[in-house]
Amino acid sequence: MFYLKRIFVLSLVALIPINIFSEIQYVYMKDGRILKGEVLHQSAFKIRFKSEEGKEEEILKSTIRRITFKNPGVKEIPKQEKIETPTPLLETKLKAEEPKPSQEKATSILSNRHSFEILGGIGKSSYESQVANFHRNVEQYGTILGGNGGFFYNSPDRKDSNAKTINLRYTWKRFVGELGGSHLNSLESVNNFGTIVYPDLSGATTVTQAAFTPGVPYHTISYKQLNVQFSYTAYSRSGLEIRPILGYYKVWQKGKDDSTYEISPKDPGNTDAIDWTIKYGTSFSDYLSGPSVGAALEYKWKEKWETRWEFQKQFLQGNSIYTRDQIAYLVGSFFEERAALNNQWKVNSQSISGKLVYHWRDSVFFWSGFQYSKLTYKMEHLGGDLDLNGSPFEAYINTVLIQSLTQGLAGNSTAKAIFVGAGYSLDFSKKEAQ
């Protein structure tokens, strides 16, 4: 009989739920409710709460007044304690040793961070290429110095075009690694005018006659950027985070215009002159790469909103290739001339970007933002054929002279874009906490 009682008591103990041995927590809500249960997990903005009935739910911290282990129905008997008035020296020491809640909270959040995010966006962009402008200016120098005809250019007419971007971001504690790219386009149209020089039909004299473009369609010029960067959270407090950045950039720029025609009507008084139709085509490509340094500034507020700013400076080097074709049509035949330049550059670039992010749900967010880059070119070497009129300068005229003249023609490329987009994030810290 004694053993039966003992077995019965042990059975009752085994059936008691295990969570009665854990401390019960009381969540005081701002609406007056008091929830009793257990806090399973918490993030910067919410907690995961399990009630006594076993129901789990997520509660925003902004709706909570406080969390305690004290039963609101039990009144404690106040203890009579002797109160000592601290001396000014002791008071100063105690204040200095008091922990700062905001710093402790920020440190805790940073030490628990572990996430991956992908975002993409589309928008409108404007782009101006220094490479194309430079080579048009070189051609104008050749026209002035060569004395054998040539062309001058009006200021380009530009229109905005489409843009797209994508970015991958991995965060672990204070470290952030990113891989991203952007593709910006712009439409450009350039009119030219000048003269062409050629021997007449008799071969006895040389004819100089005007030439111009009657209308130039728009063509696309593009700017592509790929970058990888790493940053470290050096400062974090009250939602503000500052990180220095080290990175590496690659930039491609290109454009092609093969649909422009030049018309050169003959002088009616000269029977040996010829009406010319000249197809004019140009193309350029530019490749740059180099390291970058900068800073990222991020600020989170009202739980769902966030701003992200990046300021960077790039130190780039590379080369550009420019070609110009002229195909002259005459009585079923044609004559073609080609000129090419291959230049080496040193480029200092500055960029700034900003994003406004709205966290719609735990994993889904929407954003809008902008990107601006300015690339300042300095020529390292000018190389190629400067005969942009079909006849070489006498022994390249003077290499030193041409090099010094073209140094001042180097300018800036600018790329601007605005975006809207969406993103998806995976928070690994929640899984690790569970």
Side-chain angles (χ1 to χ4, degrees), residues 40 46 53 83 175 252 267 340 348 406:
L40 301 176
K46 61 184 70 174
E53 293 77 19
I83 300 174
F175 296 92
W252 297 267
D267 180 1
N348 286 325
T406 53

Side-chain angles (χ1 to χ4, degrees), residues 383-396:
D385 174 19
L386 279 181
D387 177 20
L388 300 174
N389 306 307
S391 60
F393 298 128
E394 297 175 4
Y396 211 49

Side-chain angles (χ1 to χ4, degrees), residues 145-161:
L145 298 176
N148 193 31
F151 291 88
F152 298 93
Y153 293 86
N154 294 321
S155 297
D157 184 22
R158 297 185 179 89
K159 290 183 179 180
D160 294 348
S161 190

Side-chain angles (χ1 to χ4, degrees), residues 223-370:
Y223 172 95
K224 296 179 181 179
Q225 168 188 301
L226 179 67
N227 64 288
V228 58
Q229 62 190 44
F230 299 93
S231 57
Y232 177 81
T233 303
Y235 177 87
S236 178
R237 186 171 184 180
S238 301
L240 176 64
E241 184 176 331
I242 299 176
R243 303 192 309 271
I245 298 174
L246 290 176
Y248 194 84
Y249 271 70
K250 288 182 178 290
V251 175
W252 297 267
Q253 304 173 76
K254 67 177 183 178
K256 185 176 183 180
D257 175 17
D258 57 2
S259 56
T260 299
Y261 285 86
E262 295 162 349
I263 304 299
S264 180
K266 68 179 182 180
D267 180 1
N270 186 348
T271 57
D272 291 327
I274 303 168
D275 290 317
W276 291 92
T277 300
I278 305 170
K279 185 178 181 181
Y280 167 80
T282 61
S283 65
F284 74 86
S285 60
D286 186 40
Y287 170 73
L288 305 168
S289 62
S292 67
V293 296
L297 186 151
E298 298 183 3
Y299 181 65
K300 300 178 178 67
W301 80 98
K302 291 187 177 180
E303 300 178 0
K304 290 183 176 291
W305 292 94
E306 179 182 358
T307 53
R308 300 178 182 178
W309 295 86
E310 284 190 6
F311 309 86
Q312 294 203 58
K313 184 174 180 63
Q314 296 88 24
F315 306 90
L316 309 175
Q317 287 185 317
N319 68 295
S320 64
I321 299 174
Y322 176 88
T323 60
R324 182 183 190 275
D325 292 308
Q326 285 181 304
I327 303 175
Y329 295 92
L330 173 66
V331 194
S333 301
F334 68 90
F335 305 92
E336 181 177 4
E337 297 288 354
R338 165 168 282 204
L341 289 174
N342 189 335
N343 304 321
Q344 295 178 356
W345 303 99
K346 185 176 181 180
V347 179
N348 286 325
S349 173
Q350 299 84 36
S351 64
I352 178 174
S353 64
K355 293 183 180 71
L356 175 64
V357 181
Y358 174 72
H359 294 273
W360 181 48
R361 293 182 178 174
D362 281 350
S363 300
V364 179
F365 62 89
F366 299 98
W367 68 279
S368 63
F370 73 94

Side-chain angles (χ1 to χ4, degrees), residues 4 13 37 73 77 101 115 140 189 234 261 287 311 320 338 352 354 374 377 395 402 407 420 431:
L4 289 175
V13 171
I77 301 174
S115 64
Q140 292 180 141
S189 173
Y261 285 86
Y287 170 73
F311 309 86
S320 64
R338 165 168 282 204
I352 178 174
K374 181 180 180 181
Y377 283 71
I402 295 299
Q407 281 285 352
V420 293
K431 296 180 180 179

